[in-house]
Amino acid sequence: MPSITIEQPSEADIDAVHAMLRDTYWSPGIPRDVVARACANSMCAIARDDSGHLIGFARVVTDKATFAWLCDVVVLSGKQGRGLGRELVRTFLDHPELQGLRRWLLGTKDAHGVYAPFGFTPLEAPERFMQIKNPRPYGAPAS
């Protein structure tokens, strides 16, 4: 059974996370230094196999008082489909420092079924939300 902890990734972990994230639809081509900076300024959950190798990752951007943005939930190819992504999410939702928040947000293109059982729903009033979006921040086209 994999172990999941909330911790800051090591340099080797950053390499593994970067390898997973740079090919995702939401961060194609993301530079390693951007991954490292994002991790340094977020809460990170790391799943490891019995040998200690990183096999899953998620992070939360939060003020630990009112708001949390769940992002970068990734599971190593070959380890997917076993509930590890759900366990990463559950680790954050159960974390003592993240209780009583007014709002949790996330964005997903194709994993609504993963998040719905936790209580995530479509935005009630999407017209209230605005964004500034750079469609090619790392040079690679987003899908």
Side-chain angles (χ1 to χ4, degrees):
M1 180 62 138
S3 67
I4 300 175
T5 57
I6 303 290
E7 63 181 277
Q8 286 307 114
S10 68
E11 287 298 312
D13 292 338
I14 296 291
D15 290 339
V17 171
H18 175 244
M20 289 190 285
L21 288 178
R22 71 179 173 221
D23 295 326
T24 62
Y25 71 83
W26 65 87
S27 60
I30 190 168
R32 186 192 183 284
D33 67 301
V34 172
V35 172
R37 193 167 64 241
C39 289
N41 291 291
S42 303
M43 290 180 73
C44 300
I46 297 174
R48 298 184 189 282
D49 65 15
D50 293 336
S51 301
H53 297 105
L54 188 145
I55 58 171
F57 175 83
R59 81 187 166 90
V60 165
V61 180
T62 183
D63 62 7
K64 298 181 182 179
T66 63
F67 175 80
W69 175 272
L70 175 65
C71 52
D72 292 340
V73 179
V74 292
V75 175
L76 191 65
S77 180
K79 302 292 183 179
Q80 299 168 343
R82 301 176 192 172
L84 189 52
R86 286 181 176 86
E87 288 302 312
L88 286 161
V89 173
R90 173 59 55 207
T91 298
F92 280 128
L93 293 175
D94 290 345
H95 195 279
E97 292 182 65
L98 301 176
Q99 300 308 299
L101 301 181
R102 183 171 56 231
R103 184 180 311 266
W104 283 80
L105 289 178
L106 65 83
T108 185
K109 178 176 151 183
D110 55 5
H112 296 79
V114 170
Y115 301 107
F118 294 108
F120 285 95
T121 62
L123 293 174
E124 291 176 11
E127 68 279 0
R128 291 183 182 183
F129 290 81
M130 298 177 71
Q131 68 179 356
I132 296 173
K133 184 176 180 182
N134 179 349
R136 295 179 59 139
Y138 320 120
S143 52

